[in-house]
Amino acid sequence: MKSSRRRLTLLLLGGLFVIWVLAACGIYFSQRHRIISDLDAKLTLEARSVKFAARGNDENAPKSIAARRLQERLPEYDSSDGDAFFQIWNPAGETEEKSASLGDRDLPWPGSLIGNSPVFKTAQLSDDVTVRLISIRAGGPGKAKGKSRRSSFAIAAIGLDATDMQRSLSHLMTGLLAVGLIVLGSTALLVNLSLRVGLAPIRRLAREAGMIDTDTLDSRFDGEQAPSELQPIYAQLNELIGRLEEGFDRERRFSADLAHELRTPIAELRAISEFALKWPEDSDEDTREETFAIAEQMESIVDTLLTLARAESGHARPDQQPVDLGLLVDELWEPLRQTADERDLLLTKEGQPPVWTSDKRFLRHIIGNLLGNGVSHAPNGAQLGLAWASNALEIRNPAPDFPSDQADRVFDRLWRADRSRTGNSHSGLGLSLARTCANILGLELTARHEGGDFIARLAQPEESHAAG
């Protein structure tokens, strides 16, 4: 399992390690440059003495005079254990002079130098002695022969013991490595501790989330003391728990209402069955028709629940096509006409029926349930009104006894107003199915109680209507 704390620790330590390596390299090379520059400056002064001693003498003089001047300048040249060295070669590479401090050793031959610029290098004089060298061309004009003069030059190399420099640089590198390891270890502990403290609110949130179950959905996360970065997470989790609580409450109510709805037809079926078993000779056509009606009612409840489940699961996909709402209403009114005539109900229409691009199957569920609801609950002899608009339709039926403050609850599953709860012809699922279908189609289905009338309104969203 991936660990954010481990990943953050590695990233921070890796970044700090790179920064420290770069800083250590900067310190090391800057100190190395400073030390070498100091040695080169000192060597440059000695080289000037060689040039001055060699200038203006005959062709043999530069070597002896330069050597003598150097030996006089620094006693280290004339001491067998001195730490300053020089060696002078003729242009052919033969040694002319060298300091007593070299003993039987030789400085490395610099080769033929081009121009008068000095050449610096670091060389190994012996296994335990490192020198810093400057190589120059030294010499001047030789003896005159007739009207011409020929120049005689020598090549000189002057060196200073750089063993201490190398040792200092080695100690510096060792110190930087040691300090780096200490800093890296200390940083690892500090980063780990900081992340542990910084991630503590997340661990606390995880513990609190683990304590929530179906019985504690009324609890909420307390994010007042949480870091600002976690405040949005706390808010979203609280909203999620609120939706879960609402969903669980809705399902509990649905289960209770479903049990209540099915209890009556099941009890009736049981009573009819017991009667038929005890007195089979009294079983008649009315008993069989009543049994069939009860079974049909239960089948309707189950079919509607299955349709709701399929629609809410997202498996139902609308098939968009032009639908003439006027023709659809006429088609849906036909099965209701007989009941409407028996109850002396009249359906009036206002406006011009529009043509919507939608799914006819879902529109049948929506409008059919709205018309059926009006026919079932309007008083005898009432007038049902259907009003058209380009982006909406409204179905109105008188409902003087309807509780006006609960108009939107008609879309809850198995909900029915208390005054109409005595009948068994309706399960209270039709309008819930209608709203679910409307949501799938992107339509708005609302209800209100106004002037003693119950009004259901199906409308396209404003942006959809504007686009159409």
Side-chain angles (χ1 to χ4, degrees):
M1 183 174 61
K2 294 182 179 180
S3 170
S4 296
R5 188 173 72 181
R6 184 180 299 109
R7 185 164 60 250
L8 288 173
T9 301
L10 293 177
L11 287 175
L12 288 173
L13 290 181
L16 291 173
F17 176 76
V18 172
I19 292 173
W20 176 249
V21 169
L22 294 176
C25 290
I27 294 172
Y28 175 81
F29 286 109
S30 64
Q31 291 299 314
R32 182 176 180 274
H33 177 73
R34 182 186 63 80
I35 294 172
I36 292 178
S37 296
D38 290 343
L39 280 176
D40 289 350
K42 189 174 181 181
L43 288 170
T44 301
L45 289 176
E46 302 304 317
R48 288 176 182 174
S49 298
V50 173
K51 286 187 175 182
F52 178 77
R55 187 177 298 118
N57 298 285
D58 60 27
E59 59 180 348
N60 293 320
K63 299 183 284 295
S64 60
I65 292 176
R68 188 170 62 252
R69 289 289 178 86
L70 284 171
Q71 289 170 346
E72 291 173 354
R73 183 176 177 85
L74 289 176
E76 288 85 350
Y77 290 111
D78 199 31
S79 174
S80 60
D81 56 352
D83 57 2
F85 316 93
F86 72 84
Q87 190 165 347
I88 301 174
W89 298 268
N90 61 26
E94 298 172 348
T95 300
E96 298 292 343
E97 295 285 345
K98 67 178 181 179
S99 63
S101 56
L102 282 173
D104 56 355
R105 299 170 296 183
D106 289 309
L107 295 178
W109 160 244
S112 299
L113 300 178
I114 301 175
N116 294 320
S117 298
V119 176
F120 295 93
K121 66 180 295 187
T122 301
Q124 198 72 27
L125 187 60
S126 62
D127 293 341
D128 57 348
V129 178
T130 302
V131 294
R132 181 69 176 174
L133 298 173
I134 180 173
S135 301
I136 59 171
R137 292 181 66 182
K143 296 188 297 180
K145 291 187 179 180
K147 294 183 179 181
S148 64
R149 299 172 62 88
R150 62 185 179 87
S151 298
S152 176
F153 292 92
I155 298 174
I158 303 170
L160 294 176
D161 192 343
T163 304
D164 290 340
M165 176 195 75
Q166 294 293 99
R167 188 178 296 112
S168 298
L169 292 176
S170 297
H171 290 164
L172 176 62
M173 178 59 73
T174 303
L176 290 174
L177 289 175
V179 172
L181 291 176
I182 294 174
V183 170
L184 190 62
S186 302
T187 303
L189 293 175
L190 181 61
V191 167
N192 187 56
L193 178 62
S194 300
L195 289 176
R196 181 181 295 274
V197 174
L199 296 176
I202 298 179
R203 293 194 297 271
R204 183 170 62 252
L205 176 61
R207 288 195 301 269
E208 294 176 0
M211 298 171 62
I212 295 178
D213 55 23
T214 55
D215 296 326
T216 57
L217 286 175
D218 57 340
S219 62
R220 294 295 182 270
F221 294 105
D222 183 10
E224 293 184 359
Q225 304 300 323
S228 59
E229 293 82 4
L230 293 180
Q231 293 288 346
I233 298 178
Y234 274 86
Q236 292 296 325
L237 285 175
N238 285 332
E239 291 182 8
L240 174 61
I241 294 175
R243 292 194 296 269
L244 288 174
E245 181 183 17
E246 181 180 338
F248 271 90
D249 289 342
R250 183 170 57 250
E251 294 304 320
R252 290 189 184 102
R253 291 195 303 270
F254 172 74
S255 299
D257 290 342
L258 180 61
H260 177 82
E261 292 296 326
L262 292 178
R263 178 185 300 172
T264 300
I266 290 175
E268 291 177 353
L269 281 179
R270 180 175 180 179
I272 293 173
S273 300
E274 289 178 350
F275 180 84
L277 289 173
K278 287 185 177 180
W279 299 283
E281 65 280 359
D282 295 334
S283 180
D284 55 13
E285 185 68 22
D286 291 339
T287 302
R288 288 190 290 272
E289 289 181 357
E290 185 178 359
T291 302
F292 179 78
I294 294 172
E296 196 173 47
Q297 178 187 358
M298 295 177 64
E299 182 184 19
S300 175
I301 293 175
V302 174
D303 286 344
T304 306
L305 287 174
L306 290 175
T307 303
L308 272 172
R310 284 194 298 268
E312 292 178 346
S313 66
H315 293 159
R317 293 289 185 269
D319 180 18
Q320 302 290 344
Q321 57 183 333
V323 180
D324 188 326
L325 296 190
L327 295 178
L328 181 60
V329 168
D330 291 340
E331 179 184 338
L332 294 172
W333 181 252
E334 282 303 319
L336 301 172
R337 186 183 298 277
Q338 182 178 354
T339 303
D341 292 342
E342 291 174 355
R343 301 187 57 208
D344 198 19
L345 300 176
L346 177 65
L347 177 65
T348 62
K349 302 176 183 177
E350 298 179 12
Q352 182 66 30
V355 175
W356 286 359
T357 299
S358 188
D359 190 307
K360 188 175 182 179
R361 298 171 303 162
F362 292 109
L363 286 177
R364 288 182 62 87
H365 282 299
I366 300 170
I367 299 176
N369 276 294
L370 295 180
L371 291 173
N373 183 73
V375 170
S376 298
H377 295 95
N380 292 338
Q383 179 175 293
L384 280 67
L386 192 152
W388 301 104
S390 60
N391 69 322
L393 67 88
E394 287 188 351
I395 298 177
R396 176 191 301 260
N397 65 271
D401 296 332
F402 187 86
S404 58
D405 59 337
Q406 300 187 41
D408 200 55
R409 288 206 61 193
V410 296
F411 300 110
D412 291 349
R413 292 181 182 179
L414 301 173
W415 185 89
R416 290 182 297 181
D418 291 339
R419 292 178 179 85
S420 61
R421 203 167 175 83
T422 55
N424 293 323
S425 60
H426 289 273
S427 63
L429 290 170
L431 293 181
S432 177
L433 176 61
R435 171 165 278 186
T436 300
C437 293
N439 292 336
I440 293 174
L441 296 177
L443 303 176
E444 296 175 353
L445 180 58
T446 57
R448 67 184 188 276
H449 189 263
E450 185 178 279
D453 290 345
F454 177 83
I455 304 170
R457 186 174 191 270
L458 179 67
Q460 294 178 322
E462 290 297 329
E463 60 273 12
S464 174
H465 177 56

